[in-house]
Amino acid sequence: MPVTLHHVDKSVWASDPQVQHDLQRIYADAPVERLGRGVDAFLREHLEAGHFFACARFNDRLLGAVAVSADDQAWWLSELCVRKATRRRGVGSRLLALVSDAARTAGRELRTHSWQLPVADQVLLTRLGYRLDITGDHFVLAPPLQGGGNP
């Protein structure tokens, strides 16, 4: 499945009804405990805070997304979700790989708080080669480069 990365910030959200529809459908498929609030409130609050979503796009539709909050050193990821109909096909793994490449290009590490991750997500990150920070409070999503180089 040739998935590409699509960046959705407040301006893209406001100008593209298909993006709005797709993101709402992605997060409507999320387990209830994942968001802790309604989909519309989650999307609005994240975008209004100046953050963005990194999305997996296939055939002009968004299939998966991860919420991204940026600081000077890192992009902090949260709420990774893939549409139910496309789960177990590598979309989440591919999305994380694309986000990792984009972060590296932007000179940022990828991080996510370990306390908010279900065990299944922690297993996925570990399988992809990501590591728990020495403090134990977050995963550093900086896998080795293809070919054995250092990030």
Side-chain angles (χ1 to χ4, degrees):
M1 181 177 288
V3 173
T4 59
L5 185 64
H6 188 69
H7 179 100
V8 177
D9 59 15
K10 190 174 180 179
S11 65
V12 172
W13 171 267
S15 66
D16 192 335
Q18 186 62 51
V19 163
Q20 294 172 22
H21 177 74
D22 288 348
L23 268 176
Q24 288 167 332
R25 289 181 72 186
I26 289 166
Y27 284 106
D29 281 351
V32 174
E33 66 276 2
R34 174 83 45 149
L35 297 182
R37 60 194 175 283
V39 172
D40 292 334
F42 163 69
L43 295 170
R44 184 184 68 253
E45 290 168 11
H46 187 73
L47 293 168
E48 287 180 0
H51 307 308
F52 66 94
F53 290 92
C55 302
R57 177 176 247 166
F58 177 72
N59 287 343
D60 295 324
R61 294 287 189 261
L62 303 181
L63 304 177
V66 62
V68 182
S69 305
D71 67 24
D72 291 340
Q73 297 178 340
W75 286 356
W76 289 88
L77 306 182
S78 62
E79 289 88 17
L80 172 65
C81 190
V82 175
R83 292 282 321 271
K84 274 186 187 176
T86 56
R87 289 183 189 156
R88 315 291 294 159
R89 296 183 187 178
V91 173
S93 298
R94 177 71 178 140
L95 176 57
L96 287 175
L98 291 168
V99 172
S100 180
D101 290 345
R104 186 177 296 118
T105 298
R108 302 288 192 278
E109 278 188 329
L110 291 182
R111 298 178 184 168
T112 190
H113 294 287
S114 58
W115 50 265
Q116 71 184 49
L117 292 174
V119 173
D121 290 354
Q122 292 185 30
V123 169
L124 171 64
L125 294 177
T126 302
R127 190 186 82 220
L128 293 173
Y130 301 149
R131 66 189 186 279
L132 191 60
D133 182 72
I134 195 164
T135 64
D137 72 338
H138 66 273
F139 279 87
V140 177
L141 308 178
L145 294 172
Q146 297 290 336
N150 292 322

